[in-house]
Amino acid sequence: MRAVYPGSFDPFTPGHLNVVKRAHALFDEVVVLVAVNSLKHPDSDEEERAAAVRAILPVGWTSVTVVAWSGLTSTYCRRHDVGVIVRGVRNTTDLQAEYPLAAMNQSLGVPTVFLPAQADLAAVSSTAVRALRT
């Protein structure tokens, strides 16, 4: 089964890498979908962020690809025969935010699998990483 792991990845954190690693072990193929989110204002465009993610992933992970995308995740899934969306959740706040999106995607025919954060990475967020850079 093919899975997609969508996100803005601004930047791609150790927690994101951990989710990809775990999804890589669970699914035949994983697409890291670097998405445009109109609510977020990243420092770089999706193509630049996709290139940054590619540079971090191990070369041997040939069943993991990185794609920039500006549409709905469910549309990407239907067009590319992807059976499931993977989402990492760090805490109950993340789960509360993710649940309505998962319900919507389920209604569009694409289920979501939640992977809880590894305990030592649960406090790491892209927002925190960006704040440390400034």
Side-chain angles (χ1 to χ4, degrees), residues 4 17 24 49-50 68-69 72 86 98 100 122:
V4 67
L17 180 59
H24 177 250
R49 286 180 281 128
W69 179 255
L72 292 175
V86 172
E98 291 291 340

Side-chain angles (χ1 to χ4, degrees), residues 39-64:
L39 300 176
K40 297 183 179 183
H41 306 286
D43 292 333
S44 56
D45 69 27
E46 64 274 14
E47 292 293 342
E48 292 169 318
R49 286 180 281 128
V53 172
R54 277 187 207 98
I56 293 169
L57 297 178
V59 176
W61 287 5
T62 57
S63 63
V64 178

Side-chain angles (χ1 to χ4, degrees), residues 17-128:
L17 180 59
N18 181 262
V19 170
V20 175
K21 179 180 180 181
R22 292 163 57 207
H24 177 250
L26 292 170
F27 300 101
D28 300 320
E29 184 179 339
V30 177
V31 178
V32 178
L33 198 67
V34 180
V36 173
N37 182 336
S38 62
L39 300 176
K40 297 183 179 183
H41 306 286
D43 292 333
S44 56
D45 69 27
E46 64 274 14
E47 292 293 342
E48 292 169 318
R49 286 180 281 128
V53 172
R54 277 187 207 98
I56 293 169
L57 297 178
V59 176
W61 287 5
T62 57
S63 63
V64 178
T65 56
V66 181
V67 175
W69 179 255
S70 61
L72 292 175
T73 300
S74 59
T75 301
Y76 181 90
C77 292
R78 286 193 309 274
R79 288 184 186 170
H80 296 92
D81 195 30
V82 174
V84 67
I85 296 169
V86 172
R87 296 298 292 159
V89 291
R90 294 170 294 156
N91 51 43
T92 56
T93 302
D94 280 358
L95 186 58
Q96 287 175 338
E98 291 291 340
Y99 190 82
L101 297 172
M104 179 191 65
N105 285 321
Q106 178 70 45
S107 73
L108 296 171
V110 188
T112 299
V113 171
F114 293 114
L115 295 179
Q118 183 175 305
D120 61 328
L121 298 173
V124 178
S125 70
S126 291
T127 303

